[in-house]
Amino acid sequence: MSRGRGRLPSMGLQRSYDVEGALSVIREEEDDDDHGHDLWPLSEIDTKKSKFPCCLVWTPLPVVSWLAPFIGHIGICREDGVILDFAVSNFVNVDAFMFGPPARYLQLDRIKCCFPPHLAGHTCKYGYQHTEFGTSLTWDDSLSMSVRSCEHKTYNIFTCNCHSFVADCLNRLCYDGSMEWNMVNVAILFMRKGKWVNASSVFRSFLPAISVTTLGVLLVGWPFLIGLFSFSFLLYAWYIIVTYCFKDILC
């Protein structure tokens, strides 16, 4: 009898192991739900109806893109494909892209976003900083927060523009684990990975610039080309310098 004291029955041990195993499975399922419960399937991109779920979209600007063809107007889309873009003060356009249909698009991966259910649920490295700036549980909620923020901002093509709005959205999403999005790296991301909607979009984007350049060289000569390149260089330089050296004047 003394040998049996203090020993648990083998069946009791097996039951305890089963309970612990079941609890661990439940915890894993809860963790999976916390990180992916809102990531329902997106509808297909519909270029004819200008529906681009979870995409960045771009279109050329009148006059500005004729002189600097890689500068244009950019917007970001909700999960249902509706385009949001900031083009006038205190207002964000909804499903009415300001300067015509998108010519290029880039679909973003929601898996790369941080949707923390609570302060300890961040998948990004920023934690409290992300919470203080503004977090949400879904893609659309993050965009809605940026829309409300832009309702109190004055539009300025040089310091507070459509790229600033998109950067604000990406920072709230903490896209790709970063809260350092700005006008410049948003433009670089799009230029590197953006796709053309169709062949006519390429034509529509570059024909005015080619026409202006050709006409200017024929009428004025090579000085026009030098002036055009100087204008483009100064414009690009302005955005780089103001973004990284004079952040206080940005919106």
Side-chain angles (χ1 to χ4, degrees):
M1 291 293 291
S2 61
R3 293 181 181 177
R5 290 182 179 176
R7 295 174 59 185
L8 292 173
S10 60
M11 185 173 292
L13 286 172
Q14 183 63 39
R15 288 178 179 173
S16 65
Y17 292 149
D18 290 343
V19 171
E20 289 178 359
L23 289 174
S24 65
V25 170
I26 292 173
R27 292 191 193 102
E28 290 177 0
E29 291 178 350
E30 288 177 347
D31 290 340
D32 291 340
D33 290 341
D34 285 344
H35 293 295
H37 68 282
D38 287 322
L39 301 184
W40 53 80
L42 298 175
S43 58
E44 295 293 327
I45 292 173
D46 189 340
T47 58
K48 293 182 179 179
K49 295 182 179 179
S50 291
K51 301 297 182 184
F52 298 84
C54 294
C55 289
L56 304 183
V57 291
W58 179 94
T59 195
L61 281 168
V63 182
V64 176
S65 296
W66 302 352
L67 304 176
F70 293 103
I71 291 181
H73 184 62
I74 194 170
I76 189 168
C77 303
R78 298 187 319 212
E79 289 175 309
D80 60 1
V82 170
I83 302 173
L84 308 177
D85 66 297
F86 180 51
V88 294
S89 297
N90 309 317
F91 185 76
V92 172
N93 292 312
V94 179
D95 204 19
F97 207 28
M98 179 63 76
F99 299 103
R104 299 181 73 186
Y105 69 94
L106 171 62
Q107 190 164 44
L108 303 181
D109 188 352
R110 290 174 297 170
I111 298 294
K112 295 183 178 181
C113 301
C114 178
F115 300 121
H118 43 74
L119 187 58
H122 284 269
T123 58
C124 65
K125 64 182 179 181
Y126 294 94
Y128 179 75
Q129 181 183 350
H130 188 201
T131 301
E132 187 177 32
F133 184 69
T135 61
S136 60
L137 294 177
T138 68
W139 174 280
D140 286 353
D141 285 346
S142 294
L143 268 56
S144 295
M145 292 175 68
S146 292
V147 168
R148 290 193 295 271
S149 175
C150 278
E151 291 175 352
H152 307 285
K153 293 181 179 179
T154 301
Y155 182 87
N156 185 319
I157 193 172
F158 295 109
T159 59
C160 188
N161 54 38
C162 55
H163 286 73
S164 306
F165 168 65
V166 171
D168 187 82
C169 291
L170 295 183
N171 285 329
R172 293 182 190 277
L173 292 164
C174 203
Y175 183 72
D176 205 18
S178 175
M179 285 186 63
E180 304 297 329
W181 293 101
N182 53 52
M183 291 188 292
V184 174
N185 54 24
V186 165
I188 292 173
L189 172 69
F190 201 91
M191 285 191 291
R192 287 178 54 240
K193 299 184 177 181
K195 300 178 181 179
W196 293 101
V197 171
N198 48 42
S200 64
S201 298
V202 182
F203 188 77
R204 175 165 61 92
S205 298
F206 290 105
L207 180 62
I210 294 172
S211 301
V212 168
T213 302
T214 302
L215 187 62
V217 170
L218 290 175
L219 295 178
V220 180
W222 292 109
F224 176 83
L225 201 59
I226 295 172
L228 186 62
F229 285 155
S230 299
F231 170 79
S232 298
F233 173 79
L234 290 174
L235 197 57
Y236 295 138
W238 163 262
Y239 286 120
I240 293 173
I241 292 172
V242 75
T243 297
Y244 293 104
C245 299
F246 300 98
K247 295 182 181 181
D248 292 341
I249 68 174
L250 299 176
C251 65

